[in-house]
Amino acid sequence: AHKESRVAEGRAGFRSLFAAGYASRTLFIWALWFLFLLAYYGISVWIGKFLVDRGMSITASVGAGVLITAGGMPAAWIAGEAMERYGRKLIIALSLFCLAVAAFLYGQASSDTQAVMAGAVMHFFLVCVATSIYAYTPELFPTRMRATGLGTASTIGRIAAVSGPLLIPLMIMQWSFTGAFVVCSLCFVAAALLVIFFGPETRDRSIEDISG
């Protein structure tokens, strides 16, 4: 507690994110948010168009979208429980890998049933990852800069959220929907590898320990 009180006395701000010991952590979490939300919003915005282009009516695609979204209903709770039990890195990386596979299968689906099933699994893991990184990000920074760390990471994510839906049409024109979902899958794989190789584990560690 004494150590943490001394840390809290220091000045916080944007520059503190690049102080000794935090620059690599800041860049890591920014890259994670960017890769995840680039593909997340690229998929989410165009998921209905994919179904319509497969021959579904607009009404049917809305119903299918509801079923796909329902796949994410238990995900936040399950992800939270799993992170507490097995650790942050394992659950985030595993969820990203599973998400990459589901996104690939969704893009390869040859029937409406396959598309809905793959889409539901994909949405489940999308919510798992979103929940996990929102919990994980603040744990990477000490109290004095925690809000700045989360805020800047989320801002980088918002930039990706705007960029993803704009890039998807270009990918579709170049490689079709199938190729676009392959690119999204690769973004998720890259994000998972970032977590494995650069993400610190924060489960069962005190603020002082993580900050040190």
Side-chain angles (χ1 to χ4, degrees), residues 43-124:
I43 287 174
S44 297
V45 169
W46 289 93
I47 198 168
K49 181 71 165 57
F50 175 80
L51 295 172
V52 171
D53 284 359
R54 286 187 42 77
M56 275 192 184
S57 67
I58 294 178
T59 302
S61 70
V62 171
V66 170
L67 291 175
I68 289 173
T69 302
M73 289 177 63
W77 172 65
I78 292 173
E81 289 285 328
M83 286 177 68
E84 301 292 16
R85 179 172 296 186
Y86 301 109
R88 280 51 166 161
K89 288 184 63 171
L90 174 62
I91 298 306
I92 296 173
L94 183 61
S95 295
L96 282 164
F97 279 127
C98 291
L99 178 54
V101 173
F104 176 79
L105 293 176
Y106 183 82
Q108 301 286 329
S110 58
S111 68
D112 293 343
T113 300
Q114 290 179 7
V116 171
M117 291 177 63
V121 173
M122 180 174 65
H123 198 75
F124 175 86

Side-chain angles (χ1 to χ4, degrees), residues 25 31 41 57 88-90 100 105 111 130 134 136 138 141 147 158 167 169 181-182 188 193 202 207:
R25 194 177 300 186
Y41 280 95
S57 67
R88 280 51 166 161
K89 288 184 63 171
L90 174 62
L105 293 176
S111 68
Y134 264 109
Y136 180 58
F141 301 98
R158 296 312 115 187
L167 291 174
F181 275 86
V182 168
F188 295 135
L193 293 175
T202 59
I207 293 174

Side-chain angles (χ1 to χ4, degrees), residues 14-29:
F14 182 79
R15 286 190 299 177
S16 65
L17 297 176
F18 294 93
Y22 291 106
S24 60
R25 194 177 300 186
T26 297
L27 294 175
F28 153 69
I29 203 63

